[in-house]
RNA sequence: GCCGGGGUGGCGGAAUUGGUAGACGCACGGGACUUAAAAUCCUGUGGACGCAAGUCCGUGCGGGUUCGAUUCCCGCUCUCGGCACCA
């Protein structure tokens, strides 16, 4: 008979809830620990990624709680966004109705998993009580100039009918959500000045030792800092100048052309100063180039397009005249949209001149080698070397040349040292209904007017109907759009764009700390106590999305003075869980390899589901779903259940007096006692230090095997057995809390296991009374012996050398050397 | 191209500071119980040769350091992920 998880699991869930067992308050006893999971989007039902995420989180929260920590462990729903609108159209309902229904269902699922959240802190981002404060943050940023509106070429997703932030364009230029190729559109949009924090966002990555290297690298790449010189280039005979940026100012004497992006404003200027035919040619070329999408540009495979404008630029370093070209490989939104072309030392410039027959001037040579012949060069010489053809800078090693020439440019007033970032400001406008309204109105007289703080929230009308064609439902609500200007009282229109939902998720972890608070987004003293998050668990797909935005928000919040000035980072520990895979692919409806969580819980119980997912793989690696593996986990729990249930009577009767190692006579009981405490020791270290939950489970299985094979003879033996069962249940409880509670009760314990203290390994029970020592001959394993532990190396070597087996092994051979390792091995090096 | 992770049995995965490679589980083989099956229990299981004792091979590939290397060093290779005409 399998154990009855269907009765046990709800029973304990109810008891925990009735007791408020997991309610938590700031300032309670013990060191604080904030354990946070990436809150789910209410898509309908939890999937296996959620099971994994929340099994890891709940395990951590429960483990630390048992270890005396005051653990903040909350949950919520990231409940604005596209899918709700799509569902509303498809099912002819309202996004709010669909979202609420899904949240209710998913709350039920989270409870059936046995997660130990403090449910009083539940946060739902679509509630006015929450998004009011997102709007408030927007206003604060507007005041500080961190939120601004500008006309810009932006990423547009046709399927989603909205613009996207750079971070939300993934792979080779597709929408992160629906994978539609993104196109550029010129629109007036709201941006957040995240680039103001680029430097700090980058620098502080070095102060996050609790983050995986992968994520740090991804963010470093994304922010993409480079140091160089920004300088002016004069266009001969026009009085115009072009700004350029370079990281290799040391190659300034090697310029053979200047190239402009097609969208560069000076292009039009040059066209207007050209004669008719020429003008049309330039404008036509520029228009053709700028119309091409990012995908088309890169798909060209590096084959560069360009056109000579006929104008000449003056190299500031030496006064030389070089042609000015328009080139498709110059990006309009990086640097200045114009470059100095140095084909000898930049591969792209090299490719360009080889195609269009422009010159090459080497200005860096390898140390000890002559200046290369440009005609013989087959590729650009990108590596550092020694300057040449560079006037007074000849002979300087590259880093020195960069330093000297930069200083020279600054001295002459030709340019300035500057740092460039790849990171762009965060475009937060969305042409969508189901989101947080941007609290701004447009007045014909006053222009852009922020909604006053005391008028917040700007509520999203819930009686809007999402139209079939999917456009923003707010556009069909003139009654909502038309309003009065807060400044002049005249007619004004509300902003109909809503905020990127990533705004909602950029600060929710602060809101958990002060649920329902209505004076501010959160109480500063709550944040001061609980923040930063000690462990944040979620998928790696947010490495350059949510995890950058939340860092930015935290810095902004700190600058607003809501948290102490030194609280600059939201998450000190980060655990990026791997994907859940089935049959070699990520679970997805289209592949038909989805395993339903409810079905698994119904068939095997939550404890089994949790145990399997924690056991099958270390948390940061991808995990192969295996139906057989689930059965294995279930088999183990049944085994534990039978073991305890079968001996329940004698366990209840057994002495609860602590039996120290020294008081145990029988060898069997001594061995079990050692097994118990080495298990406690290993499980504790695996969870706390290594986060290797899979090996922790393996240890518990070993202890179970040991307990099952154990034959207690007397009362002391029985007491040790009871100690073993208690220890097993304590260790098991963060993994499989329901069955552990049930068996805890069954052996006659009163009180809630989940609130009990974690067991402590007894030092003297970790000592062994014999060790296995191996004999190696020339490094190869030959024999094994039992030896008393702690023998010093000489003694160990001596004893092993005296053994018959050893003598036989080395008979007739010259012993060159004997190496002994305490408690481990003796290696005899022989000749002949 | 640059950056980062990874490569261990049939599979998921273990291996303190270099010190018994393959813990634990899955799958599979043999056995017990059963009329039978399921469940459960016992047992075997990296490969090759061997009746056996045992010997040899074995942690992506090739070198090196060392008494001894999955672990350290050098050079490759494959794979996953990120970035990428970023000046």
């Amino acid at each position: 008979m399998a154990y009855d998880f269907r009765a046990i699991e709800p029973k304990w869930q109810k008891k925990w809830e009735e007791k408020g067992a997991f309610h938590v308050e700031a300032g309670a006893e013990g060191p604080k620990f904030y354990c946070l999971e990436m809150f789910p989007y209410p898509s309908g039902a939890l999937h296996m990624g959620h099971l994994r995420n929340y099994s890891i989180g709940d395990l951590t929260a429960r483990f630390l709680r048992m270890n005396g920590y005051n653990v903040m462990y909350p949950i919520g729903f990231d409940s604005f966004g596209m899918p709700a609108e799509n569902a509303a159209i498809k099912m002819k309902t309202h996004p709010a109705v669909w979202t609420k229904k899904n949240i209710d269902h998913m709350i039920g699922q989270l409870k059936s998993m046995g997660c130990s959240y403090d449910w009083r802190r539940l946060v739902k981002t679509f509630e006015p009580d929450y998004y009011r404060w997102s709007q408030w943050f927007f206003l604060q940023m507007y005041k500080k100039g961190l939120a601004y509106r500008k006309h810009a070429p932006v990423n547009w997703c046709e399927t989603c009918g909205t613009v996207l932030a750079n971070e939300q364009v993934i792979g080779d230029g597709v929408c992160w959500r629906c994978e539609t190729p993104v196109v550029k559109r010129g629109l007036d949009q709201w941006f957040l000045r995240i680039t103001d924090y680029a430097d700090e966002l980058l620098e502080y990555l070095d102060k996050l030792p609790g983050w995986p290297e992968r994520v740090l690298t991804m963010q470093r790449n994304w922010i993409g800092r480079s140091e160089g010189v920004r300088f002016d280039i004069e266009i001969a005979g026009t009085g115009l100048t072009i700004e350029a940026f370079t990281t290799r100012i040391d190659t300034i004497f090697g310029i053979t052309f200047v190239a402009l992006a097609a969208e560069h404003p000076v292009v039009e200027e040059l066209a207007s100063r050209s004669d008719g035919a020429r003008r049309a040619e330039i404008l036509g070329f520029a228009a053709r180039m700028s119309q091409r999408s990012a995908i088309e540009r890169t798909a060209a495979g590096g084959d560069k397009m360009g056109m000579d404008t006929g104008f000449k630029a003056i190299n500031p370093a030496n006064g030389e005249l070089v042609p000015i070209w328009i080139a498709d490989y110059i990006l309009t939104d990086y640097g200045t949209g114009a470059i100095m072309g140095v084909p000898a030392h930049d591969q792209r410039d090299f490719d360009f001149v080889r195609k269009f027959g422009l010159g090459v001037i080497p200005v860096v040579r390898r140390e000890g080698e002559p200046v290369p012949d440009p005609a013989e060069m087959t590729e650009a010489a990108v590596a550092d070397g020694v300057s040449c053809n560079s006037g007074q800078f000849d002979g300087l090693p590259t880093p020195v040349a960069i330093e000297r020439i930069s200083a020279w440019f600054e001295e002459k007033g030709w340019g300035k040292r500057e740092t460039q970032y790849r990171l762009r400001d965060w475009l937060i406008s969305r042409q969508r209904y189901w989101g947080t309204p941007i609290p701004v109105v447009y007045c014909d007289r006053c222009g852009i007017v922020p909604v006053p703080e005391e008028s917040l929230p700007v509520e999203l009308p819930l009686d809007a109907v999402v139209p079939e064609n999917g456009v923003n439902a707010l556009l069909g609500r003139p009654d909502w759009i038309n309003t009065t200007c807060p400044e002049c009282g005249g007619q004004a229109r509300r902003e109909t764009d809503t905020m990127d939902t990533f705004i909602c998720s950029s600060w929710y972890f602060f809101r958990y700390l002060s649920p329902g608070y209505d004076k501010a987004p959160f109480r500063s003293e709550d944040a001061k106590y609980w923040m930063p998050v000690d462990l944040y668990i979620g998928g790696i797909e947010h490495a350059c999305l949510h995890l950058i935005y939340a860092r930015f928000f935290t810095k902004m919040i700190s600058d607003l003075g809501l948290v102490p000035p030194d609280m600059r980072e939201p998450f000190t520990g980060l655990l990026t869980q791997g994907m859940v895979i089935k049959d070699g692919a990520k679970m997805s409806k289209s592949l038909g390899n989805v395993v339903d969580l409810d079905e698994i819980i119904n068939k095997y119980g939550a404890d089994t589901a949790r145990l399997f997912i924690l056991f099958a793989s270390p948390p940061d690696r991808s995990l192969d779903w295996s139906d057989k593996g689930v059965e294995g986990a279930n088999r183990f729990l049944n085994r534990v259940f039978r073991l305890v249930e079968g001996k329940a009577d004698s366990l209840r009767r057994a002495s609860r007096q602590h039996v120290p190692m020294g008081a145990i006579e029988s060898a069997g009981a001594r061995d079990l006692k050692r097994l118990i405490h080495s298990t406690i020791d290993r499980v504790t270290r695996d969870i706390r230090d290594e986060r290797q939950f899979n090996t922790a489970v393996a240890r518990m299985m070993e202890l179970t095997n040991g307990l099952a094979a154990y034959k207690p003879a007397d009362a002391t033996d029985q007491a040790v057995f009871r100690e073993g069962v208690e220890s097993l249940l304590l260790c098991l409880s963060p993994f499989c809390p329901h069955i552990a509670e049930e068996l805890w009760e069954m052996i006659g314990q009163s009180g809630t296991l989940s609130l009990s203290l974690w067991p402590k390994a007894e030092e003297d029970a970790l000592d062994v009374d014999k060790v296995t020592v191996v004999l190696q001959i020339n490094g190869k394993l030959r024999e094994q012996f039992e030896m008393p532990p702690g023998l010093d190396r000489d003694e160990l070597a001596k004893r092993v050398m005296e053994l018959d087996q050893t003598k036989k092994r080395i008979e007739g051979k010259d012993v060159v050397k004997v190496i002994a390792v305490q408690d481990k091995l003796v290696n005899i090096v022989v000749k002949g």
Side-chain angles (χ1 to χ4, degrees):
Chain A
M1 258 293 281
Y3 82 98
D4 188 7
F5 58 84
R6 287 195 188 86
I8 293 169
E9 294 185 350
K11 167 182 162 186
W12 289 100
Q13 286 156 14
K14 193 162 158 247
K15 287 202 181 204
W16 295 326
E17 185 143 16
E18 282 168 359
K19 267 196 155 144
F22 308 121
H23 291 177
V24 63
E25 298 302 338
E29 204 185 323
K32 75 94 184 175
F33 193 97
Y34 190 169
C35 178
L36 181 69
E37 296 155 352
M38 289 185 186
F39 65 164
Y41 178 80
S43 56
L46 297 183
H47 52 66
M48 291 308 170
H50 293 125
L51 171 68
R52 193 172 194 192
N53 196 162
Y54 308 144
S55 295
I56 294 167
D58 192 49
L59 161 67
T60 305
R62 286 174 178 273
F63 171 78
L64 290 166
R65 212 177 273 131
M66 292 175 78
N67 277 277
Y69 285 81
N70 187 27
V71 179
M72 169 60 67
Y73 182 51
I75 191 70
F77 289 90
D78 185 13
S79 34
F80 270 138
M82 276 304 293
E85 292 195 51
N86 294 336
I89 296 169
K90 202 169 151 196
M91 301 160 84
K92 301 208 183 316
T93 176
H94 189 275
V97 174
W98 182 82
T99 301
K100 280 180 191 157
K101 193 190 83 199
N102 290 346
I103 289 178
D104 287 345
H105 179 65
M106 289 164 80
I107 287 175
Q109 288 186 302
L110 289 165
K111 288 186 174 171
S112 77
M113 272 181 66
C115 292
S116 58
Y117 301 121
D118 181 348
W119 284 101
R120 302 170 307 164
R121 297 172 182 274
L122 186 68
V123 162
K124 302 171 194 166
T125 61
F126 77 104
E127 290 182 339
D129 162 60
Y130 182 83
Y131 67 69
R132 166 188 183 183
W133 298 110
S134 297
Q135 294 174 338
W136 184 85
F137 280 124
F138 178 90
L139 294 178
Q140 308 313 308
M141 287 190 275
Y142 182 79
K143 267 191 246 171
K144 298 185 66 159
L146 286 172
Y148 65 95
R149 187 168 169 84
K150 79 165 177 193
H151 185 88
V154 292
N155 308 303
W156 176 266
C157 172
E158 198 54 57
T159 306
C160 295
T162 185
V163 298
L164 299 170
N166 275 356
E167 287 77 13
Q168 291 151 19
V169 180
I170 57 162
D172 39 66
V174 301
C175 171
W176 69 291
R177 203 196 287 283
C178 67
E179 299 190 354
T180 304
V182 167
V183 295
K184 287 279 180 192
R185 273 198 186 182
L187 292 171
D188 276 323
Q189 298 285 286
W190 285 98
F191 291 84
L192 297 185
R193 218 176 282 282
I194 190 172
T195 51
D196 270 16
Y197 290 89
D199 210 22
E200 195 191 331
L201 285 168
L202 188 67
E203 216 166 274
Y204 271 65
L205 292 174
D206 295 332
K207 303 181 186 178
L208 294 172
W211 281 39
E213 199 52 48
R214 290 199 288 170
V215 179
L216 296 174
T217 307
M218 283 165 77
Q219 290 210 356
R220 279 190 195 107
N221 282 345
W222 187 260
I223 297 166
R225 171 179 152 129
S226 49
E227 284 166 22
V229 176
R230 180 195 278 259
F231 61 98
D232 287 332
I233 302 175
E234 264 182 64
I235 305 175
T238 62
L240 298 170
T241 57
I242 305 167
E243 277 200 309
F245 175 77
T246 180
T247 55
R248 289 294 303 273
I249 195 72
D250 65 305
T251 62
I252 187 85
F253 290 89
I255 298 183
T256 60
F257 65 98
V258 164
L260 304 170
E263 299 86 351
H264 197 289
V266 95
V267 169
E268 244 176 275
E269 189 64 38
L270 294 181
S272 73
R273 293 173 188 223
S274 306
D275 57 47
R278 189 81 183 155
R279 180 186 311 162
E281 221 180 310
I282 293 175
L283 293 176
F285 181 80
R288 278 204 308 283
M289 289 305 105
S290 57
Q291 261 160 25
R292 299 197 308 159
S293 70
I295 297 173
E296 278 176 309
R297 284 190 179 200
T298 40
D303 187 31
K304 297 180 171 42
M305 310 235 275
M307 181 192 165
D308 191 349
T309 62
F311 287 86
K312 301 278 187 244
I314 305 169
N315 183 341
N318 58 11
E320 301 276 329
L321 290 180
V322 295
I324 301 176
W325 284 62
I326 303 168
D328 68 334
Y329 73 99
I330 309 305
L331 304 172
T332 178
D333 56 356
Y334 186 80
T336 61
I339 59 126
M340 61 179 211
V342 185
H345 306 292
D346 182 288
Q347 190 59 42
R348 294 154 302 175
D349 297 347
F350 186 86
D351 295 342
F352 190 73
V353 301
R354 279 293 186 254
K355 178 164 176 186
F356 294 105
L358 296 164
V360 176
I361 306 173
V363 291
V364 179
R365 60 177 168 85
R366 287 200 200 173
E367 176 85 69
E369 286 181 23
V371 180
D373 176 359
E376 310 226 314
M377 288 177 76
T378 54
E379 58 178 11
V382 185
D384 282 7
V386 185
S387 287
C388 56
N389 289 334
S390 298
Q392 69 264 44
F393 302 101
D394 277 2
L396 297 176
T398 299
V400 179
I402 290 175
E403 175 54 38
R404 296 270 182 88
I405 300 179
S406 300
W408 184 49
F409 264 57
E410 288 189 328
E411 211 176 284
K412 296 277 186 187
W414 296 337
K416 259 191 106 154
R417 274 180 258 220
E418 199 180 84
T419 306
Q420 283 284 335
Y421 296 92
R422 218 187 62 94
L423 183 73
R424 291 297 121 73
D425 276 342
W426 178 9
L427 165 52
I428 59 150
S429 303
R430 293 293 176 272
Q431 290 68 48
R432 301 305 328 163
Y433 161 63
W434 192 235
T436 302
I438 296 174
V440 161
V441 303
Y442 301 100
C443 170
D444 289 338
R445 216 173 317 166
C446 313
I448 296 171
V449 181
V451 173
E453 279 176 33
E454 54 277 13
S455 309
L456 297 185
V458 175
E459 281 205 49
L460 189 68
L462 287 181
D463 51 357
V465 179
V466 179
E468 286 279 334
N469 63 9
V471 302
N472 185 347
L474 290 173
L475 298 174
R477 291 296 301 267
D479 58 317
W480 183 82
I481 295 172
N482 292 319
T483 183
T484 51
C485 171
E487 264 173 29
C488 71
Q491 274 215 338
R493 287 164 292 108
R494 287 192 190 282
E495 169 67 85
T496 55
D497 285 352
T498 53
M499 294 184 203
D500 183 1
T501 56
F502 279 93
I503 299 264
C504 309
S505 54
S506 289
W507 69 279
Y508 73 104
F509 42 91
F510 283 101
R511 186 65 182 172
Y512 284 144
L513 309 179
S514 313
Y517 189 56
D518 63 358
K519 306 277 186 297
F522 55 89
R523 272 187 215 89
S524 289
E525 57 267 34
D526 287 334
K528 194 174 171 196
Y529 177 81
W530 288 112
M531 288 295 287
V533 170
D534 297 279
L535 182 65
Y536 196 19
I537 308 153
I540 190 144
E541 64 274 14
H542 284 293
C544 292
L545 284 159
H546 165 60
L547 288 171
I548 285 190
Y549 297 143
R551 293 183 61 219
F552 159 57
F553 251 71
T554 302
K555 293 175 191 303
M556 180 272 292
I557 286 170
S558 171
D559 287 342
L560 288 176
L562 295 178
V563 299
D566 59 341
M567 196 173 274
R568 303 300 290 178
E569 287 288 336
F571 318 124
T572 50
L574 178 67
L575 175 55
T576 50
Q577 64 180 90
M579 280 195 300
V580 181
I581 304 282
K582 175 105 194 290
D583 311 321
K586 188 178 175 176
M587 283 191 186
S588 78
K589 277 183 199 146
S590 56
L591 287 169
N593 61 350
V594 175
V595 179
D596 184 75
L597 177 63
D598 286 337
E599 252 173 59
I600 294 293
I601 290 184
N602 191 41
K603 190 167 174 194
Y604 299 103
D607 285 340
T608 292
R610 295 167 57 131
L611 185 71
F612 164 73
I613 213 148
L614 292 166
F615 178 55
S617 194
D620 52 355
R621 263 201 250 180
S622 67
L623 178 150
D624 240 318
W625 186 271
S626 149
D627 294 332
K628 290 288 183 190
V630 177
E631 279 174 32
N634 187 244
R635 201 174 300 148
F636 168 69
L637 291 184
N638 271 307
R639 209 163 122 78
V640 172
F641 195 89
R642 279 195 311 272
L643 172 73
V644 178
E645 190 188 36
K647 304 218 165 87
D649 284 343
S650 58
L651 279 164
R652 273 195 297 270
R653 281 197 308 270
S655 162
R656 299 183 193 189
Q657 202 92 57
H658 174 247
V659 187
M661 195 64 187
I664 304 172
E665 302 276 304
S666 79
R670 290 180 69 87
D671 285 345
L672 182 64
K673 177 100 179 171
R674 279 195 201 95
L675 177 60
I676 292 166
H677 290 275
S678 71
T679 302
I680 293 170
D681 182 52
R682 277 298 304 266
V683 171
T684 307
R685 285 191 289 134
D686 283 349
I687 298 175
R688 188 192 55 202
D689 305 336
E690 316 288 338
R691 285 189 205 132
Q692 289 243 34
F693 311 128
N694 54 332
T695 52
V697 174
R699 299 306 144 203
M700 291 190 282
M701 287 172 167
E702 283 175 317
L703 175 56
T704 304
N705 293 342
L707 288 167
Y710 183 64
K711 302 271 181 293
D714 58 19
T716 309
D717 288 3
Q718 288 287 1
V720 175
F721 183 70
R722 187 182 161 94
E723 182 186 343
V725 169
E726 281 180 15
S727 304
L728 175 63
L729 296 178
L730 285 161
C731 289
L732 188 61
S733 69
F735 294 81
C736 303
H738 312 90
I739 189 175
E741 289 273 13
E742 181 71 15
L743 295 175
W744 189 249
E745 183 182 64
M746 194 183 284
I747 62 171
Q749 290 284 6
S750 55
T752 312
L753 172 60
S754 302
L755 301 176
S756 301
L757 280 184
W758 187 256
K760 202 168 157 27
E762 290 166 26
E763 283 300 322
D764 57 352
L766 293 175
D767 296 337
V768 289
D769 60 357
K770 57 180 185 286
V771 290
T772 305
V773 172
V774 300
L775 171 67
Q776 294 181 349
I777 307 287
N778 292 339
K780 291 201 184 252
L781 174 70
R782 283 298 177 259
E783 305 277 347
Q784 305 191 7
F785 316 108
E786 302 245 291
M787 288 276 168
L791 296 177
D792 70 36
R793 285 191 293 230
D794 293 344
E795 179 65 18
L796 179 64
K798 190 172 141 242
R799 290 216 197 175
V800 168
M801 292 301 276
E802 279 166 359
L803 291 164
D804 288 342
Q805 295 103 306
T806 309
K807 286 181 181 157
K808 234 165 96 183
R809 287 276 178 191
I810 58 174
E811 211 171 23
K813 290 171 179 146
D814 285 344
V815 173
V816 180
K817 201 173 175 184
V818 177
I819 297 115
V821 180
Q822 195 179 55
D823 296 343
K824 288 239 161 73
L825 61 84
V826 173
N827 185 17
I828 304 175
V829 184
V830 298
K831 249 200 308 205

